[in-house]
Amino acid sequence: MTTAHTSTEPLVVDIAIVGGAMAGATLALGLAKLSATLSATLSSATLARPLRIALIEAHVANNNHPGFDARSIAIAHGSIFELTRLGIWPKLQHLGTAIENIHVSDRGHFGMTELNAKPLGLDALGQVVELARVGNVLFDELQKSSVSVFCPAKVTDLQAQTDGHLLTLDNGTQLHCQLLVAADGANSVVRQHLQQPTEQVNFDQTAVVANVITDQPHQHWAYERFTQTGPLALLPMTSVPSTPSTQARYSLVWALPPAKADELKNADKAEFLAALQQAFGHRVGRFIDVGQRVSYPLTLSYMPRPIYHRCIFVGNAAQTLHPIAGQGFNLGLRDVVGLLKVLEHAFSSNTATEIDLGSSAIVHQYLAARQADRDSTLNNIEFLVRGFSNQYWPLVAGRNIGLRLLSWLPPLKRPVAQTAMGWR
Ligand SMILES: Cc1cc2nc3c(=O)[nH]c(=O)nc-3n(C[C@H](O)[C@H](O)[C@H](O)COP(=O)(O)OP(=O)(O)OC[C@H]3O[C@@H](n4cnc5c(N)ncnc54)[C@H](O)[C@@H]3O)c2cc1C
């Protein structure tokens, strides 16, 4: 699907997005929608032509795609709302499994609580989607859009210039953009080229991810269980024709010390299922099957300032979270929506002249708009990981009392549920 650019001169675009997985693809589609809306409403002095948007992605959507792989993720209610506004969720909703209730517990202790959609007047707290299937839909939508998609193509070089960035792709194509958006994930090549620092917290945990089958239906419950070795999450998934309706498919994310993760990833099926049953208990019935197991080292890394000259970082390129609270893409989407709002505001508040999309004012407005949400999400996640992996008794008592309080005092649940659902 690579856009043909045969000239030896660089292709000039307004915005170039490097990385076309969840963050980059949703941003590209959001920008195409914004451009169409602005073209219909603004004077030609402000927007003389539709925005020229380029998306560069190294991998085609298939099973080996690093961003659209076998993982399932939970998309919070607030994110579904934003994706609907961007016109993206209607294309994805047939892939979603609703989370109607969340059960949170602390293994071996008395603390547990539930978050439920109904008392909040909602149908669902969020939706679970399989990234590989989402990737196919998003790429189909991109092909139909006004975005110039370069895929498979890698950015191998970039030069910061006064009026923008000059990107060189591995097929020799060059692009010049006013604003560069890095959505190229945890090991961002853009960040490395621009020598921008990140701060890292290593939790010394690895996540084992797999689809598991239980002998009881999920009835739209998701589970988060804190164990001594690390948190374990089960997300309800759509059934597959080969799964009887009396059974359920869940996506498992199990954070473990690296050596234990390695051992369980390679254990035979019976051994793995027995260990899982022991760690999780019988709340979802009996674990009867497990699919392919993959592992991800878990760190928290973030850029203190996710901006540079004419450059903005979004999604995992700006911050990579521990999946404990399922907030990675939810936070990345808030980056995307934050950037779209800054750009929309720049156009609608300046009706006289053409806008410089990479101007220092726009880049700094983005930084200011994202600061508080990023800081509080990152702090909350570090607190959760450390607080729930610790066996120091005052902490154990504190978190168990906290979980109990949540179940005894339902009004307290609302802010917790709202945070979990991506409302801020
Ligand atoms: C086990 C696990 C469970 C998770 N569960 C949840 C959850 O329940 N809810 C949630 O919200 N989040 C969850 N997350 C986090 C979520 O998956 C990520 O935050 C999100 O998918 C990141 O998307 P991204 O587009 O920012 O980055 P990535 O997915 O890393 O994509 C980066 C893209 O950039 C491309 N790229 C890289 N370099 C170049 C280059 N030089 N040129 C061109 N392209 C390039 C790559 O090919 C890739 O497609 C989970 C993560 C893990 C590991």
Side-chain angles (χ1 to χ4, degrees), residues 17-25 56-59 65-69 71-76 79 131 150 153-156 169 183-190 207-209 235 252-253 296-298 314-323 325-332:
I17 305 164
V18 183
M22 288 303 283
I56 304 118
E57 167 53 46
H59 295 87
H65 196 291
F68 295 129
D69 58 13
R71 249 173 312 158
S72 291
I73 64 165
I75 303 185
S79 301
L131 287 183
F150 295 82
K154 257 188 197 155
V155 172
T156 52
L169 313 190
D184 52 347
N187 301 315
S188 169
V189 166
V190 174
V208 175
V209 176
L235 299 175
L252 165 75
V253 180
Y296 298 84
L298 299 178
V314 298
N316 274 26
Q319 65 270 319
T320 303
L321 308 183
H322 189 296
Q327 290 300 314
F329 172 63
N330 290 304
L331 182 59

Side-chain angles (χ1 to χ4, degrees), residues 72 138 392:
S72 291
L138 294 184
Y392 177 55

Side-chain angles (χ1 to χ4, degrees), residues 163 178-179 310 354-360 362:
D163 62 346
Q178 268 187 350
L179 174 66
R310 293 186 171 275
E354 207 171 312
I355 311 275
D356 176 358
L357 295 174
S359 69
S360 172
I362 286 188

Side-chain angles (χ1 to χ4, degrees), residues 21-31 83 86 88 138 329 332-333 336 340:
M22 288 303 283
T26 50
L27 175 62
L29 290 169
L31 282 170
L83 288 171
L86 296 176
I88 296 173
L138 294 184
F329 172 63
L333 180 65
V336 165
L340 289 171

Side-chain angles (χ1 to χ4, degrees), residues 129-150:
V129 291
E130 294 174 62
L131 287 183
R133 300 175 77 192
V134 169
N136 288 329
V137 174
L138 294 184
F139 265 71
D140 281 352
E141 290 304 310
L142 281 166
Q143 267 175 313
K144 290 186 243 159
S145 75
S146 57
V147 178
S148 303
V149 181
F150 295 82

